[in-house]
Amino acid sequence: MSAFGAGTSKRAWLRPAFGLLVLAASVLWWIGVQPASARAPVEPITQFLLAVVAILLVCHLFGALLRRLGQPAVLGEIIGGLVLGPSVFGALAPTARTWLFPQHILSALDTAAQLGLIVFLFLLGCELRLSAIRRKRVVIGTVVGGTALPFVAGVSVALLAGPAMAGATGGATTHVLFIGLALSITALPVLARILVDLRIDRTDVGVIALTSAAVGDGITWVVLALITALAGASDSSQLVPRLGLSVAFVLVMVLCVRPALVVLTKRITSEQSLIAALVIGAVACAALGQVIGLHPMIAAFLFGTLVPRNETMARASEHLQGFTITILLPLFFAGVGLNTSLGLIGANLRGWLLFLVVLAAAMAGKIIGAGGGARLAGVPRRPALELGTLMNCRGITELVVASIGLKAGLINTYGFTVLVLVAVITSAMAGIMMRRFERAPAGAQADPDDRPGQAA
Amino acid sequence: MSAFGAGTSKRAWLRPAFGLLVLAASVLWWIGVQPASARAPVEPITQFLLAVVAILLVCHLFGALLRRLGQPAVLGEIIGGLVLGPSVFGALAPTARTWLFPQHILSALDTAAQLGLIVFLFLLGCELRLSAIRRKRVVIGTVVGGTALPFVAGVSVALLAGPAMAGATGGATTHVLFIGLALSITALPVLARILVDLRIDRTDVGVIALTSAAVGDGITWVVLALITALAGASDSSQLVPRLGLSVAFVLVMVLCVRPALVVLTKRITSEQSLIAALVIGAVACAALGQVIGLHPMIAAFLFGTLVPRNETMARASEHLQGFTITILLPLFFAGVGLNTSLGLIGANLRGWLLFLVVLAAAMAGKIIGAGGGARLAGVPRRPALELGTLMNCRGITELVVASIGLKAGLINTYGFTVLVLVAVITSAMAGIMMRRFERAPAGAQADPDDRPGQAA
């Protein structure tokens, strides 16, 4: 926008701003003028709407701010969610926070966020296309190195830390495995956003990083399914039928639902019917997964991987993304923020130290593991380092996995907070360090939102 | 699809169908094999997902069925909602219904449906473009005749019926006015769908009908705002500041928010940020409206009318429509169905008679009023009759208005059921009668879903 345009819009803002002030003043007058007896308590639906407005406003403002700073908007939205939590908003204005987010509103928001996550993981599954992988050797090296080393590092840290991050249920073994898994995550959607922002999504390094992250994502969900099944089985006699049922579920999905989907997507040419069919399928899989002991998000992701691709499908999933990513994901971020308590980390020296050790293990494990794996597969030194840096981005996938772990009792609130911080810091670092590597001028990035095909 | 194609897909369905049977059987086996003590009660989120799946499945199946019969899919979705209610599903399987829709799930569904309605009415507002009206004389004749006569008929019927349909609060005057308003509605979204189905949306009659319905929609929401303000003010001293505040709200919206939106839509070029800004605006207006006594749906509709149109805007609203129309609106239909009790109508002769009188008043008032108004404005006899028939379609707008009336205590459950049935019957008749007029072969209709620009 030219200087002239900016000047015009500056003047154009004056009248609306004045008007909104008048409106706010009259609302305050109205509330003040009413007798206290007539001042009805806020209705539940109004309360819900106010909470939604507050969450969307804060998350998207931070998103816009971080985009200005050359970071992906989704990182800002995650930080916005943290700001709404007890550490910032709760510390600054505890009464306002309790008024804005009472318990019954929190559970309503959580339900909406769960529905959003199911659709989001379904969409992530849709994007996973293992058949499209090229340069298999390099991808295998990056994935194996970038998964195994941080997993081992995470398991070691969890063994050293003892019960400091462990949750109430699930036993020591599942907790240790879970921390290992949590450190070996790479976030496909945030990574994709960073690559697009830096305009390196079609370079060699970009394509290998994206593919490796996608394969790693698939592995993550399979391992997480195993860990939650292990944790959920209260005695060992339940474990075998539980795992057996999950395997049967996967088999039926691959052998029966997949061909059914092929027929269905060919038959349904109307976009709205296709959206309906896909959402019904994803939600039904999630519910069925929940019933047989497979996590609903994992079941929805699995369903997504089975959906065949065609043009109608692509448009339908694009339409689903609009609402899911802009409206429902911020509700999930707010839920994450409300469960995160930075005070727990600063409480004592041990808390700080453990957090730094986890962060170091996560970063070193991922950068050395993924970079070293790529190096062994024949990638030169500099691009191998770039690959390691990129794969270190954990973003939203880490948040989903940490939330699942918290709900399943595999980690406590302290462990949850540590993982959330690790996710935010590693994601921010991936962008910042890559920008240094590329020495790209700050103004050169493409508008990230112009490619709706990239989830988040 | 060719006969060969159908044969292939018939065989292709066999394997999935068999597999799903096996899956269902193993789930049943799993539930049966677990000891009763270990059979945990279904978690709230699973319960919610199951309810969502059931609603989407039934609504979209009926939608597909009615589309086969040459009716708009949205009519089938409304009927699907009624089927889930106490009259059909509740009567056939009361235990299953209580299990599938317990009270806490109903309120969660209602919250999601309210959010969906807010976005839907915002989108409806976006489609209203008074400046684009041509043939003003005919439109004015159709609107005035098609609004005034059914309004008078509705008021007369309500006066004759006495308290039979009246709600607990609001007094006799507001109830009578509300019934008058309810009969004078034309449903813009369903009408648009019927016109597209019959391929007459670009003919003279089609354009006049659409424009008249849009203008009528605008009038409906203004009058409804007045009636609910009248009903909400417990004593007359509250009425003046309440109305004054609503007028101030509208003025601020038109004078300040509108220019702000013009600047905003020019500045925001990314689609996702625009979606976020629009939803935040619509939900904020709804919450603010609720606080000052203006109904949230009306405030969201008003906000929609103020949004300037450009290409990014059009794409953003299209993206919002996908999720809103296919996922959230069926939840609203299910809510309507759960509040509808056909048994109340069949309970006695008086109930039947009153329903038939209301139906006759609604249809006669609308067809004669709108057709006569068009005739007086110079439209020939046959197209005037077609216009009257089209304007008689009440569809989803009637459901929204009736739900608002039920919640505000302006009508009772019997009155609600009568209005829901009037909406379904008049909408079905509009399609069936127009098909006769046009003598269009059943196979000739366009696929209605291929035009995502048409709301619902």
Side-chain angles (χ1 to χ4, degrees):
Chain A
M1 201 167 280
S2 70
F4 176 72
T8 314
S9 54
K10 225 175 237 167
R11 256 176 289 134
W13 274 106
L14 271 181
R15 202 166 65 163
F18 178 72
L20 289 176
L21 263 180
V22 170
L23 183 68
S26 38
V27 169
L28 285 179
W29 164 81
W30 167 243
I31 292 173
V33 92
Q34 280 196 309
S37 60
R39 216 180 290 161
V42 184
E43 280 179 60
I45 179 73
T46 318
Q47 187 94 50
F48 179 76
L49 296 179
L50 286 174
V52 169
V53 169
I55 291 171
L56 293 182
L57 208 57
V58 171
C59 285
H60 285 289
L61 280 182
F62 274 88
L65 184 71
L66 260 88
R67 204 171 343 155
R68 290 237 158 170
L69 298 175
Q71 292 279 338
V74 65
L75 192 60
E77 290 164 22
I78 294 173
I79 294 174
L82 294 181
V83 166
L84 285 170
S87 316
V88 182
F89 183 39
L92 292 176
T95 327
R97 193 179 147 263
T98 327
W99 182 82
L100 196 58
F101 301 120
Q103 201 50 52
H104 66 281
I105 294 299
L106 286 184
S107 64
L109 289 172
D110 186 55
T111 308
Q114 297 288 325
L115 191 60
L117 270 192
I118 288 171
V119 179
F120 180 68
L121 276 159
F122 159 71
L123 292 171
L124 269 192
C126 288
E127 307 244 321
L128 185 72
R129 283 294 166 271
L130 295 183
S131 54
I133 296 180
R134 275 169 224 168
R135 305 199 57 179
K136 288 212 169 68
R137 235 183 103 225
V138 177
V139 169
I140 290 172
T142 312
V143 170
V144 170
T147 309
L149 200 60
F151 186 83
V152 171
V155 166
S156 319
V157 171
L159 283 175
L160 283 173
M165 299 186 285
T169 57
T173 318
T174 48
H175 164 66
V176 166
L177 289 176
F178 179 78
I179 295 288
L181 173 74
L183 295 203
S184 61
I185 285 168
T186 293
L188 180 58
V190 182
L191 182 63
R193 184 53 68 84
I194 291 174
L195 295 175
V196 173
D197 282 5
L198 293 171
R199 296 199 172 171
I200 52 173
D201 54 324
R202 289 173 201 279
T203 63
D204 255 17
V205 168
V207 171
I208 293 172
L210 263 185
T211 322
S212 308
V215 176
D217 242 18
I219 297 174
T220 299
W221 299 115
V222 172
V223 175
L224 187 63
L226 288 175
I227 294 178
T228 48
L230 213 63
S234 44
D235 58 288
S236 54
S237 74
Q238 278 206 313
L239 190 61
V240 175
R242 208 174 236 267
L243 278 181
L245 211 59
S246 291
V247 172
F249 179 77
V250 173
L251 282 179
V252 169
M253 293 286 281
V254 173
L255 294 178
C256 310
V257 175
R258 193 189 166 91
L261 279 171
V262 173
V263 177
L264 207 65
T265 44
K266 264 187 208 147
R267 280 221 164 171
I268 301 183
T269 50
S270 102
E271 211 172 291
Q272 289 193 1
S273 309
L274 197 55
I275 290 179
L278 293 177
V279 172
I280 290 173
V283 178
C285 280
L288 197 62
Q290 179 85 283
V291 170
I292 65 167
L294 193 70
H295 198 279
M297 309 300 159
I298 300 168
F301 179 83
L302 177 66
F303 180 70
T305 60
L306 301 177
V307 170
R309 279 236 151 166
N310 62 34
E311 211 179 298
T312 326
M313 228 326 280
R315 260 189 300 142
S317 86
E318 200 185 301
H319 276 197
L320 272 180
Q321 280 189 16
F323 198 89
T324 312
I325 292 177
T326 45
I327 311 301
L328 297 180
L329 273 192
L331 301 185
F332 166 66
F333 297 148
V336 168
L338 292 170
N339 279 322
T340 310
S341 180
L342 300 182
L344 284 178
I345 288 184
N348 53 46
L349 190 66
R350 198 186 139 85
W352 264 107
L353 271 180
L354 185 53
F355 161 63
L356 289 176
V357 170
V358 173
L359 183 64
M363 292 184 57
K366 199 76 181 186
I367 296 176
I368 299 171
R375 194 88 186 78
L376 288 178
V379 176
R381 224 178 124 197
R382 168 79 185 267
L385 185 60
E386 293 188 357
L387 261 180
T389 311
L390 282 173
M391 298 294 289
N392 191 31
C393 150
R394 280 177 185 81
I396 185 169
T397 312
E398 182 81 286
L399 299 189
V400 177
V401 170
S403 298
I404 292 175
L406 183 66
K407 280 203 182 168
L410 293 169
I411 46 170
N412 58 20
T413 319
Y414 171 75
F416 179 76
T417 306
V418 167
L419 291 182
V420 169
L421 285 184
V422 167
V424 172
I425 293 171
T426 56
S427 306
M429 284 206 57
I432 294 170
M433 285 172 71
M434 277 311 287
R435 207 170 285 277
R436 292 230 166 149
F437 283 136
E438 299 288 321
R439 301 211 181 282
Q445 82 268 21
D447 191 330
D449 288 337
D450 277 356
R451 306 219 187 171
Q454 307 283 5
Chain B
M1 200 164 275
S2 70
F4 175 74
T8 315
S9 54
K10 226 177 234 165
R11 256 175 288 132
W13 274 105
L14 270 181
R15 203 167 66 163
F18 178 72
L20 289 176
L21 264 179
V22 170
L23 182 69
S26 38
V27 169
L28 284 179
W29 164 82
W30 169 243
I31 292 174
V33 93
Q34 280 197 307
S37 60
R39 215 179 291 162
V42 184
E43 278 179 62
I45 180 72
T46 319
Q47 187 94 50
F48 179 75
L49 296 179
L50 287 174
V52 169
V53 168
I55 291 172
L56 293 182
L57 208 58
V58 170
C59 285
H60 285 289
L61 280 182
F62 273 88
L65 185 71
L66 259 85
R67 205 172 339 158
R68 291 239 157 169
L69 298 176
Q71 292 278 338
V74 64
L75 192 61
E77 290 164 22
I78 294 172
I79 294 174
L82 294 181
V83 166
L84 285 170
S87 316
V88 181
F89 183 38
L92 292 176
T95 328
R97 193 179 147 263
T98 328
W99 182 83
L100 196 59
F101 301 119
Q103 200 51 50
H104 66 281
I105 294 299
L106 286 184
S107 63
L109 289 173
D110 186 53
T111 308
Q114 296 289 323
L115 192 60
L117 270 192
I118 288 170
V119 179
F120 180 68
L121 276 158
F122 159 72
L123 291 171
L124 269 193
C126 290
E127 308 245 322
L128 185 71
R129 283 294 165 267
L130 295 183
S131 55
I133 295 179
R134 275 169 224 167
R135 304 198 59 180
K136 287 208 169 69
R137 233 182 105 226
V138 176
V139 169
I140 290 173
T142 312
V143 169
V144 171
T147 310
L149 199 60
F151 186 83
V152 171
V155 167
S156 316
V157 170
L159 284 176
L160 282 175
M165 300 186 286
T169 57
T173 319
T174 49
H175 163 66
V176 166
L177 289 176
F178 179 78
I179 295 287
L181 174 74
L183 295 203
S184 61
I185 287 168
T186 293
L188 180 58
V190 181
L191 181 63
R193 184 54 67 85
I194 291 175
L195 294 175
V196 173
D197 283 4
L198 293 172
R199 295 198 170 173
I200 52 172
D201 55 324
R202 290 176 200 277
T203 62
D204 255 17
V205 168
V207 171
I208 293 173
L210 264 183
T211 322
S212 306
V215 176
D217 244 17
I219 296 174
T220 298
W221 299 115
V222 172
V223 175
L224 187 63
L226 289 175
I227 294 178
T228 48
L230 213 65
S234 44
D235 57 286
S236 54
S237 73
Q238 278 206 313
L239 190 61
V240 175
R242 207 176 237 267
L243 278 180
L245 210 60
S246 290
V247 171
F249 178 76
V250 173
L251 282 179
V252 169
M253 294 285 282
V254 173
L255 294 177
C256 310
V257 175
R258 193 190 167 92
L261 280 172
V262 172
V263 178
L264 207 68
T265 44
K266 263 186 208 148
R267 282 219 164 173
I268 302 182
T269 49
S270 101
E271 209 172 295
Q272 287 191 5
S273 309
L274 197 57
I275 290 179
L278 292 178
V279 172
I280 290 173
V283 178
C285 280
L288 197 62
Q290 179 86 280
V291 170
I292 66 167
L294 193 70
H295 198 278
M297 308 303 158
I298 300 167
F301 179 83
L302 177 66
F303 180 70
T305 60
L306 301 178
V307 170
R309 281 236 148 167
N310 61 34
E311 212 177 297
T312 327
M313 228 326 281
R315 261 189 299 142
S317 85
E318 202 184 299
H319 277 197
L320 272 179
Q321 280 190 15
F323 199 89
T324 313
I325 291 177
T326 44
I327 312 301
L328 296 180
L329 272 193
L331 301 185
F332 166 66
F333 297 148
V336 168
L338 291 170
N339 279 321
T340 311
S341 178
L342 300 182
L344 284 178
I345 287 184
N348 54 46
L349 190 66
R350 199 186 136 84
W352 264 107
L353 271 180
L354 185 54
F355 162 62
L356 289 177
V357 169
V358 172
L359 182 65
M363 293 185 55
K366 200 75 179 183
I367 296 178
I368 298 171
R375 194 87 187 78
L376 288 179
V379 176
R381 226 177 122 197
R382 168 80 184 268
L385 185 61
E386 293 188 359
L387 262 179
T389 310
L390 283 173
M391 298 294 289
N392 191 32
C393 149
R394 280 178 186 80
I396 186 172
T397 312
E398 181 82 285
L399 299 188
V400 176
V401 170
S403 298
I404 292 175
L406 183 65
K407 281 203 181 167
L410 293 170
I411 46 170
N412 57 20
T413 319
Y414 171 74
F416 180 76
T417 306
V418 166
L419 291 182
V420 169
L421 284 185
V422 167
V424 172
I425 293 171
T426 55
S427 306
M429 282 206 59
I432 293 170
M433 283 172 70
M434 277 311 286
R435 209 170 283 278
R436 292 231 166 149
F437 282 135
E438 300 286 322
R439 301 209 180 287
Q445 83 267 23
D447 192 330
D449 287 336
D450 276 354
R451 306 217 186 174
Q454 306 282 5

